[in-house]
Amino acid sequence: MASSTLHFPSARHLSQLYAGQHDNLAHAERLLGLGIVSREDWLRFDGEPAAIAAGETLFNLLNEARTLGLVIRTPDFHRFAEGVARGEADQLRALFTQPVVVQTQRKTIIPKTLGQKLYLQAILKHPLVFGIGPAGTGKTYLAMAAAVHALLKNQVERIILTRPAVEAGEALGFLPGDLQEKILPYLRPLYDAMGDMLDSGDVAKLTEKGVIEVAPLAYMRGRTLSRSFIVLDEAQNTTPEQMMMFLTRLGEDSRMVVTGDITQIDLPRAKQSGLLEVRRILRDIPGIEFHQFSGADVVRHPLVLKIIEAYERYQNPITPETT
């Protein structure tokens, strides 16, 4: 049995490396097979030399990531600890030493969490990516940023943004206006995000020319979408038949990103969500990537994370064990 101690600039600095949660230290102990003692501004590792070396590697990596501006949250800590346990320290280091930056017309988009960075890397690497997770994690925004970037770089000829028009507590038939006006509220979030990345005049011109298309999912039927970047938002509200129809639209030199939150399904109870089903069907196919966001990837107002966690506790209560 051996021991080793690492010192850090302050107790606060050290605490930030494990997201201030002592449960995370216990998680690292189990993964790496060593004991970890935290006191003020130092850590002590107790165990076999190989386990101690892994512990030092983990916290040196976390310290490097923090120095480069990464805010370490519990899911990030878990990803680092699990990666070190698998011997993937070099790949982890590349995640924060090689920045992922997406340039759009109006702003430069930089991932704010490790989860977002992994997601954006997956989009840039794979032709079909599923981003699944709660509201506020940036799953749709980052997908649209990647689409605009690809268009500006002439990697694709058009962008297609689509959502299923599902009656989420409202009856479309009772809304005022014609069909297009009734569907517009479902598509408005996509227009808003697009306007954040391109000048409003350019959005209008590109939409008029068909370079940018924002349309309900039903409009995709029977088409083959080549040289396109296609984003399907709110995919939890697709049926299995709609999901298959959409995925088989993928044409030559095209890319697809499918986003959704499986906790916010607005389909009738009798209908299965296509997003729930597709993960079981396609999870082992090369070129298809499923990325799962967590509540810790939420980058909206801090209260949003607390709201999500409160709902999770309410919907999944812990029942006391009976003897």
Side-chain angles (χ1 to χ4, degrees), residues 23-49:
D23 286 349
N24 288 337
L25 294 180
H27 182 70
E29 286 181 319
R30 291 190 295 272
L31 280 173
L32 304 179
L34 78 165
I36 302 176
V37 177
S38 171
R39 292 287 186 275
E40 297 181 348
D41 63 349
W42 56 265
L43 280 177
R44 190 184 74 226
F45 304 108
D46 300 309
E48 297 300 322

PDB file of all heavy atoms in Angstrom, residues 23-49:
ATOM      1  N   ASP A  23     -19.669  12.960  -2.790  1.00  0.00           N
ATOM      2  CA  ASP A  23     -20.103  11.719  -3.444  1.00  0.00           C
ATOM      3  C   ASP A  23     -19.295  11.449  -4.711  1.00  0.00           C
ATOM      4  O   ASP A  23     -19.092  10.290  -5.095  1.00  0.00           O
ATOM      5  CB  ASP A  23     -21.592  11.795  -3.801  1.00  0.00           C
ATOM      6  CG  ASP A  23     -22.480  11.650  -2.580  1.00  0.00           C
ATOM      7  OD1 ASP A  23     -21.960  11.280  -1.510  1.00  0.00           O
ATOM      8  OD2 ASP A  23     -23.689  11.920  -2.695  1.00  0.00           O
ATOM      9  N   ASN A  24     -18.840  12.526  -5.364  1.00  0.00           N
ATOM     10  CA  ASN A  24     -18.026  12.347  -6.569  1.00  0.00           C
ATOM     11  C   ASN A  24     -16.676  11.727  -6.229  1.00  0.00           C
ATOM     12  O   ASN A  24     -16.149  10.917  -7.005  1.00  0.00           O
ATOM     13  CB  ASN A  24     -17.835  13.690  -7.284  1.00  0.00           C
ATOM     14  CG  ASN A  24     -19.109  14.162  -7.950  1.00  0.00           C
ATOM     15  OD1 ASN A  24     -19.991  13.366  -8.255  1.00  0.00           O
ATOM     16  ND2 ASN A  24     -19.222  15.458  -8.175  1.00  0.00           N
ATOM     17  N   LEU A  25     -16.116  12.095  -5.087  1.00  0.00           N
ATOM     18  CA  LEU A  25     -14.858  11.484  -4.659  1.00  0.00           C
ATOM     19  C   LEU A  25     -15.070   9.990  -4.398  1.00  0.00           C
ATOM     20  O   LEU A  25     -14.231   9.163  -4.758  1.00  0.00           O
ATOM     21  CB  LEU A  25     -14.325  12.175  -3.393  1.00  0.00           C
ATOM     22  CG  LEU A  25     -13.893  13.640  -3.557  1.00  0.00           C
ATOM     23  CD1 LEU A  25     -13.401  14.179  -2.217  1.00  0.00           C
ATOM     24  CD2 LEU A  25     -12.807  13.783  -4.615  1.00  0.00           C
ATOM     25  N   ALA A  26     -16.197   9.655  -3.785  1.00  0.00           N
ATOM     26  CA  ALA A  26     -16.496   8.238  -3.534  1.00  0.00           C
ATOM     27  C   ALA A  26     -16.664   7.487  -4.860  1.00  0.00           C
ATOM     28  O   ALA A  26     -16.248   6.322  -4.980  1.00  0.00           O
ATOM     29  CB  ALA A  26     -17.768   8.121  -2.691  1.00  0.00           C
ATOM     30  N   HIS A  27     -17.254   8.154  -5.842  1.00  0.00           N
ATOM     31  CA  HIS A  27     -17.417   7.536  -7.172  1.00  0.00           C
ATOM     32  C   HIS A  27     -16.045   7.247  -7.784  1.00  0.00           C
ATOM     33  O   HIS A  27     -15.818   6.159  -8.334  1.00  0.00           O
ATOM     34  CB  HIS A  27     -18.212   8.486  -8.064  1.00  0.00           C
ATOM     35  CG  HIS A  27     -18.484   7.957  -9.440  1.00  0.00           C
ATOM     36  ND1 HIS A  27     -19.351   6.920  -9.687  1.00  0.00           N
ATOM     37  CD2 HIS A  27     -17.979   8.322 -10.662  1.00  0.00           C
ATOM     38  CE1 HIS A  27     -19.382   6.671 -10.991  1.00  0.00           C
ATOM     39  NE2 HIS A  27     -18.558   7.493 -11.598  1.00  0.00           N
ATOM     40  N   ALA A  28     -15.122   8.207  -7.672  1.00  0.00           N
ATOM     41  CA  ALA A  28     -13.767   8.010  -8.207  1.00  0.00           C
ATOM     42  C   ALA A  28     -13.040   6.900  -7.459  1.00  0.00           C
ATOM     43  O   ALA A  28     -12.293   6.113  -8.061  1.00  0.00           O
ATOM     44  CB  ALA A  28     -12.983   9.317  -8.125  1.00  0.00           C
ATOM     45  N   GLU A  29     -13.247   6.815  -6.148  1.00  0.00           N
ATOM     46  CA  GLU A  29     -12.624   5.746  -5.369  1.00  0.00           C
ATOM     47  C   GLU A  29     -13.045   4.379  -5.895  1.00  0.00           C
ATOM     48  O   GLU A  29     -12.213   3.472  -6.070  1.00  0.00           O
ATOM     49  CB  GLU A  29     -13.024   5.873  -3.892  1.00  0.00           C
ATOM     50  CG  GLU A  29     -12.346   7.012  -3.157  1.00  0.00           C
ATOM     51  CD  GLU A  29     -12.773   7.075  -1.697  1.00  0.00           C
ATOM     52  OE1 GLU A  29     -13.982   6.872  -1.426  1.00  0.00           O
ATOM     53  OE2 GLU A  29     -11.907   7.322  -0.834  1.00  0.00           O
ATOM     54  N   ARG A  30     -14.350   4.216  -6.132  1.00  0.00           N
ATOM     55  CA  ARG A  30     -14.853   2.924  -6.611  1.00  0.00           C
ATOM     56  C   ARG A  30     -14.314   2.591  -7.997  1.00  0.00           C
ATOM     57  O   ARG A  30     -13.934   1.447  -8.274  1.00  0.00           O
ATOM     58  CB  ARG A  30     -16.382   2.944  -6.633  1.00  0.00           C
ATOM     59  CG  ARG A  30     -17.022   2.978  -5.252  1.00  0.00           C
ATOM     60  CD  ARG A  30     -18.520   2.742  -5.332  1.00  0.00           C
ATOM     61  NE  ARG A  30     -19.207   3.810  -6.046  1.00  0.00           N
ATOM     62  CZ  ARG A  30     -19.670   4.916  -5.486  1.00  0.00           C
ATOM     63  NH1 ARG A  30     -19.507   5.114  -4.185  1.00  0.00           N
ATOM     64  NH2 ARG A  30     -20.300   5.826  -6.211  1.00  0.00           N
ATOM     65  N   LEU A  31     -14.279   3.596  -8.883  1.00  0.00           N
ATOM     66  CA  LEU A  31     -13.824   3.358 -10.252  1.00  0.00           C
ATOM     67  C   LEU A  31     -12.340   3.015 -10.319  1.00  0.00           C
ATOM     68  O   LEU A  31     -11.924   2.144 -11.080  1.00  0.00           O
ATOM     69  CB  LEU A  31     -14.090   4.599 -11.115  1.00  0.00           C
ATOM     70  CG  LEU A  31     -15.498   4.807 -11.656  1.00  0.00           C
ATOM     71  CD1 LEU A  31     -15.595   6.163 -12.345  1.00  0.00           C
ATOM     72  CD2 LEU A  31     -15.872   3.700 -12.640  1.00  0.00           C
ATOM     73  N   LEU A  32     -11.536   3.731  -9.534  1.00  0.00           N
ATOM     74  CA  LEU A  32     -10.085   3.616  -9.659  1.00  0.00           C
ATOM     75  C   LEU A  32      -9.465   2.666  -8.640  1.00  0.00           C
ATOM     76  O   LEU A  32      -8.273   2.356  -8.729  1.00  0.00           O
ATOM     77  CB  LEU A  32      -9.440   5.005  -9.530  1.00  0.00           C
ATOM     78  CG  LEU A  32      -9.952   6.065 -10.529  1.00  0.00           C
ATOM     79  CD1 LEU A  32      -9.267   7.400 -10.285  1.00  0.00           C
ATOM     80  CD2 LEU A  32      -9.726   5.607 -11.966  1.00  0.00           C
ATOM     81  N   GLY A  33     -10.260   2.229  -7.649  1.00  0.00           N
ATOM     82  CA  GLY A  33      -9.755   1.268  -6.680  1.00  0.00           C
ATOM     83  C   GLY A  33      -8.738   1.834  -5.727  1.00  0.00           C
ATOM     84  O   GLY A  33      -7.688   1.214  -5.476  1.00  0.00           O
ATOM     85  N   LEU A  34      -9.011   3.015  -5.187  1.00  0.00           N
ATOM     86  CA  LEU A  34      -8.093   3.616  -4.220  1.00  0.00           C
ATOM     87  C   LEU A  34      -8.886   4.419  -3.207  1.00  0.00           C
ATOM     88  O   LEU A  34     -10.085   4.656  -3.375  1.00  0.00           O
ATOM     89  CB  LEU A  34      -7.070   4.518  -4.926  1.00  0.00           C
ATOM     90  CG  LEU A  34      -7.493   5.918  -5.388  1.00  0.00           C
ATOM     91  CD1 LEU A  34      -6.280   6.744  -5.716  1.00  0.00           C
ATOM     92  CD2 LEU A  34      -8.395   5.849  -6.595  1.00  0.00           C
ATOM     93  N   GLY A  35      -8.225   4.843  -2.146  1.00  0.00           N
ATOM     94  CA  GLY A  35      -8.835   5.722  -1.162  1.00  0.00           C
ATOM     95  C   GLY A  35      -8.452   7.162  -1.437  1.00  0.00           C
ATOM     96  O   GLY A  35      -7.314   7.444  -1.805  1.00  0.00           O
ATOM     97  N   ILE A  36      -9.407   8.082  -1.256  1.00  0.00           N
ATOM     98  CA  ILE A  36      -9.142   9.500  -1.490  1.00  0.00           C
ATOM     99  C   ILE A  36      -9.565  10.284  -0.249  1.00  0.00           C
ATOM    100  O   ILE A  36     -10.700  10.160   0.216  1.00  0.00           O
ATOM    101  CB  ILE A  36      -9.909  10.038  -2.717  1.00  0.00           C
ATOM    102  CG1 ILE A  36      -9.538   9.253  -3.970  1.00  0.00           C
ATOM    103  CG2 ILE A  36      -9.630  11.521  -2.914  1.00  0.00           C
ATOM    104  CD1 ILE A  36     -10.319   9.659  -5.211  1.00  0.00           C
ATOM    105  N   VAL A  37      -8.646  11.055   0.305  1.00  0.00           N
ATOM    106  CA  VAL A  37      -8.924  11.913   1.459  1.00  0.00           C
ATOM    107  C   VAL A  37      -8.756  13.353   1.030  1.00  0.00           C
ATOM    108  O   VAL A  37      -7.722  13.723   0.447  1.00  0.00           O
ATOM    109  CB  VAL A  37      -7.977  11.593   2.635  1.00  0.00           C
ATOM    110  CG1 VAL A  37      -8.241  12.544   3.798  1.00  0.00           C
ATOM    111  CG2 VAL A  37      -8.141  10.145   3.075  1.00  0.00           C
ATOM    112  N   SER A  38      -9.776  14.178   1.291  1.00  0.00           N
ATOM    113  CA  SER A  38      -9.729  15.600   0.926  1.00  0.00           C
ATOM    114  C   SER A  38      -9.691  16.445   2.203  1.00  0.00           C
ATOM    115  O   SER A  38     -10.562  16.309   3.068  1.00  0.00           O
ATOM    116  CB  SER A  38     -10.963  15.963   0.095  1.00  0.00           C
ATOM    117  OG  SER A  38     -11.036  17.357  -0.096  1.00  0.00           O
ATOM    118  N   ARG A  39      -8.696  17.301   2.305  1.00  0.00           N
ATOM    119  CA  ARG A  39      -8.584  18.211   3.436  1.00  0.00           C
ATOM    120  C   ARG A  39      -8.123  19.577   2.936  1.00  0.00           C
ATOM    121  O   ARG A  39      -7.066  19.690   2.316  1.00  0.00           O
ATOM    122  CB  ARG A  39      -7.572  17.696   4.462  1.00  0.00           C
ATOM    123  CG  ARG A  39      -7.974  16.433   5.198  1.00  0.00           C
ATOM    124  CD  ARG A  39      -9.071  16.695   6.213  1.00  0.00           C
ATOM    125  NE  ARG A  39      -9.338  15.495   6.995  1.00  0.00           N
ATOM    126  CZ  ARG A  39     -10.155  14.524   6.636  1.00  0.00           C
ATOM    127  NH1 ARG A  39     -10.785  14.613   5.475  1.00  0.00           N
ATOM    128  NH2 ARG A  39     -10.354  13.477   7.411  1.00  0.00           N
ATOM    129  N   GLU A  40      -8.907  20.589   3.182  1.00  0.00           N
ATOM    130  CA  GLU A  40      -8.559  21.962   2.808  1.00  0.00           C
ATOM    131  C   GLU A  40      -8.080  22.029   1.356  1.00  0.00           C
ATOM    132  O   GLU A  40      -8.867  21.826   0.440  1.00  0.00           O
ATOM    133  CB  GLU A  40      -7.523  22.523   3.786  1.00  0.00           C
ATOM    134  CG  GLU A  40      -8.056  22.610   5.214  1.00  0.00           C
ATOM    135  CD  GLU A  40      -7.043  23.181   6.183  1.00  0.00           C
ATOM    136  OE1 GLU A  40      -5.859  23.309   5.816  1.00  0.00           O
ATOM    137  OE2 GLU A  40      -7.450  23.497   7.314  1.00  0.00           O
ATOM    138  N   ASP A  41      -6.790  22.280   1.140  1.00  0.00           N
ATOM    139  CA  ASP A  41      -6.302  22.455  -0.230  1.00  0.00           C
ATOM    140  C   ASP A  41      -5.490  21.276  -0.734  1.00  0.00           C
ATOM    141  O   ASP A  41      -4.714  21.403  -1.671  1.00  0.00           O
ATOM    142  CB  ASP A  41      -5.468  23.739  -0.329  1.00  0.00           C
ATOM    143  CG  ASP A  41      -4.216  23.699   0.535  1.00  0.00           C
ATOM    144  OD1 ASP A  41      -4.096  22.762   1.371  1.00  0.00           O
ATOM    145  OD2 ASP A  41      -3.362  24.591   0.384  1.00  0.00           O
ATOM    146  N   TRP A  42      -5.663  20.089  -0.138  1.00  0.00           N
ATOM    147  CA  TRP A  42      -4.886  18.938  -0.604  1.00  0.00           C
ATOM    148  C   TRP A  42      -5.738  17.672  -0.668  1.00  0.00           C
ATOM    149  O   TRP A  42      -6.768  17.550  -0.012  1.00  0.00           O
ATOM    150  CB  TRP A  42      -3.643  18.702   0.254  1.00  0.00           C
ATOM    151  CG  TRP A  42      -3.877  18.524   1.731  1.00  0.00           C
ATOM    152  CD1 TRP A  42      -3.814  19.490   2.686  1.00  0.00           C
ATOM    153  CD2 TRP A  42      -4.202  17.302   2.411  1.00  0.00           C
ATOM    154  NE1 TRP A  42      -4.078  18.968   3.923  1.00  0.00           N
ATOM    155  CE2 TRP A  42      -4.324  17.615   3.786  1.00  0.00           C
ATOM    156  CE3 TRP A  42      -4.402  15.988   2.012  1.00  0.00           C
ATOM    157  CZ2 TRP A  42      -4.626  16.667   4.762  1.00  0.00           C
ATOM    158  CZ3 TRP A  42      -4.717  15.025   2.969  1.00  0.00           C
ATOM    159  CH2 TRP A  42      -4.821  15.372   4.328  1.00  0.00           C
ATOM    160  N   LEU A  43      -5.253  16.736  -1.491  1.00  0.00           N
ATOM    161  CA  LEU A  43      -5.848  15.412  -1.642  1.00  0.00           C
ATOM    162  C   LEU A  43      -4.793  14.366  -1.361  1.00  0.00           C
ATOM    163  O   LEU A  43      -3.648  14.498  -1.812  1.00  0.00           O
ATOM    164  CB  LEU A  43      -6.344  15.186  -3.077  1.00  0.00           C
ATOM    165  CG  LEU A  43      -7.676  15.755  -3.543  1.00  0.00           C
ATOM    166  CD1 LEU A  43      -7.849  15.422  -5.015  1.00  0.00           C
ATOM    167  CD2 LEU A  43      -8.836  15.197  -2.742  1.00  0.00           C
ATOM    168  N   ARG A  44      -5.184  13.311  -0.654  1.00  0.00           N
ATOM    169  CA  ARG A  44      -4.267  12.192  -0.460  1.00  0.00           C
ATOM    170  C   ARG A  44      -4.876  10.944  -1.078  1.00  0.00           C
ATOM    171  O   ARG A  44      -6.049  10.642  -0.875  1.00  0.00           O
ATOM    172  CB  ARG A  44      -3.990  11.947   1.022  1.00  0.00           C
ATOM    173  CG  ARG A  44      -2.828  10.941   1.247  1.00  0.00           C
ATOM    174  CD  ARG A  44      -2.610  10.622   2.694  1.00  0.00           C
ATOM    175  NE  ARG A  44      -3.648   9.736   3.211  1.00  0.00           N
ATOM    176  CZ  ARG A  44      -4.280   9.914   4.368  1.00  0.00           C
ATOM    177  NH1 ARG A  44      -3.980  10.968   5.127  1.00  0.00           N
ATOM    178  NH2 ARG A  44      -5.201   9.048   4.766  1.00  0.00           N
ATOM    179  N   PHE A  45      -4.048  10.230  -1.846  1.00  0.00           N
ATOM    180  CA  PHE A  45      -4.466   8.967  -2.462  1.00  0.00           C
ATOM    181  C   PHE A  45      -3.778   7.808  -1.742  1.00  0.00           C
ATOM    182  O   PHE A  45      -2.558   7.845  -1.511  1.00  0.00           O
ATOM    183  CB  PHE A  45      -4.064   8.935  -3.942  1.00  0.00           C
ATOM    184  CG  PHE A  45      -4.599  10.087  -4.745  1.00  0.00           C
ATOM    185  CD1 PHE A  45      -3.758  11.093  -5.185  1.00  0.00           C
ATOM    186  CD2 PHE A  45      -5.947  10.170  -5.057  1.00  0.00           C
ATOM    187  CE1 PHE A  45      -4.245  12.156  -5.919  1.00  0.00           C
ATOM    188  CE2 PHE A  45      -6.450  11.232  -5.791  1.00  0.00           C
ATOM    189  CZ  PHE A  45      -5.601  12.226  -6.230  1.00  0.00           C
ATOM    190  N   ASP A  46      -4.541   6.789  -1.404  1.00  0.00           N
ATOM    191  CA  ASP A  46      -4.009   5.591  -0.759  1.00  0.00           C
ATOM    192  C   ASP A  46      -4.388   4.373  -1.586  1.00  0.00           C
ATOM    193  O   ASP A  46      -5.574   4.183  -1.909  1.00  0.00           O
ATOM    194  CB  ASP A  46      -4.589   5.433   0.652  1.00  0.00           C
ATOM    195  CG  ASP A  46      -4.255   6.612   1.546  1.00  0.00           C
ATOM    196  OD1 ASP A  46      -3.060   6.976   1.624  1.00  0.00           O
ATOM    197  OD2 ASP A  46      -5.189   7.167   2.155  1.00  0.00           O
ATOM    198  N   GLY A  47      -3.392   3.539  -1.942  1.00  0.00           N
ATOM    199  CA  GLY A  47      -3.695   2.345  -2.716  1.00  0.00           C
ATOM    200  C   GLY A  47      -2.473   1.798  -3.407  1.00  0.00           C
ATOM    201  O   GLY A  47      -1.327   2.147  -3.072  1.00  0.00           O
ATOM    202  N   GLU A  48      -2.709   0.964  -4.390  1.00  0.00           N
ATOM    203  CA  GLU A  48      -1.610   0.416  -5.178  1.00  0.00           C
ATOM    204  C   GLU A  48      -1.033   1.517  -6.081  1.00  0.00           C
ATOM    205  O   GLU A  48      -1.759   2.455  -6.467  1.00  0.00           O
ATOM    206  CB  GLU A  48      -2.105  -0.751  -6.027  1.00  0.00           C
ATOM    207  CG  GLU A  48      -2.619  -1.939  -5.222  1.00  0.00           C
ATOM    208  CD  GLU A  48      -1.535  -2.515  -4.314  1.00  0.00           C
ATOM    209  OE1 GLU A  48      -0.367  -2.558  -4.743  1.00  0.00           O
ATOM    210  OE2 GLU A  48      -1.866  -2.920  -3.178  1.00  0.00           O
ATOM    211  N   PRO A  49       0.246   1.418  -6.442  1.00  0.00           N
ATOM    212  CA  PRO A  49       0.869   2.469  -7.259  1.00  0.00           C
ATOM    213  C   PRO A  49       0.110   2.795  -8.544  1.00  0.00           C
ATOM    214  O   PRO A  49      -0.030   3.966  -8.913  1.00  0.00           O
ATOM    215  CB  PRO A  49       2.262   1.886  -7.547  1.00  0.00           C
ATOM    216  CG  PRO A  49       2.541   1.002  -6.375  1.00  0.00           C
ATOM    217  CD  PRO A  49       1.219   0.404  -6.001  1.00  0.00           C
TER     218      PRO A  49
END
